[in-house]
Amino acid sequence: MARLTKRDVELLTSALDSELLVDALRTALHKVLDVEPFENDWAALVNCAAQRSGWPNDRRWATINRDPDTLDALIVELNELRTLRQHLPTATRLSSEELR
């Protein structure tokens, strides 16, 4: 994945209005995912980010639905890392019966 520049992050963090915030996140995600614009299809872009980064479904849905806390966390992540954090898949716990 590509990384954001300092200027990219400044534009991202300066967007306070909800729609401006989503537009800024859309621009940042296009850059870090190195993909062409999805004709402003927020859900398709979020699904791409979720797939590539291994997001849990609850984060994917919260981002698609523009949950303010989830969007804030995404801004923090992009600001600190300049890219998306890779999430490891959650290991499935095996029962004692399956271990035999």
Side-chain angles (χ1 to χ4, degrees):
M1 279 191 260
R3 293 177 56 84
L4 298 177
T5 64
K6 182 178 180 182
R7 178 69 180 136
D8 294 327
V9 173
E10 287 170 353
L11 289 172
L12 183 61
T13 57
S14 69
L16 299 177
D17 177 88
S18 171
E19 200 54 44
L20 289 176
L21 175 64
V22 170
D23 286 343
L25 280 168
R26 185 180 286 120
T27 300
L29 288 173
H30 282 138
K31 184 166 187 171
V32 299
L33 296 170
D34 194 27
V35 294
E36 294 296 319
F38 286 100
E39 298 181 12
N40 294 325
D41 186 346
W42 176 245
L45 183 60
V46 171
N47 284 326
C48 181
Q51 178 192 26
R52 290 199 188 173
S53 297
W55 288 359
N57 278 335
D58 59 336
R59 181 181 186 189
R60 181 174 60 91
W61 282 112
T63 306
I64 288 172
N65 292 316
R66 302 175 184 200
D67 172 70
D69 292 337
T70 304
L71 296 182
D72 286 346
L74 181 55
I75 289 171
V76 169
E77 181 177 326
L78 291 167
N79 181 36
E80 291 176 357
L81 302 177
R82 302 289 199 257
T83 192
L84 293 171
R85 177 177 291 114
Q86 295 296 307
H87 295 266
L88 299 175
T90 305
T92 304
R93 279 202 146 160
L94 298 176
S95 68
S96 57
E97 201 169 286
E98 292 172 306
L99 292 172
R100 291 184 211 167

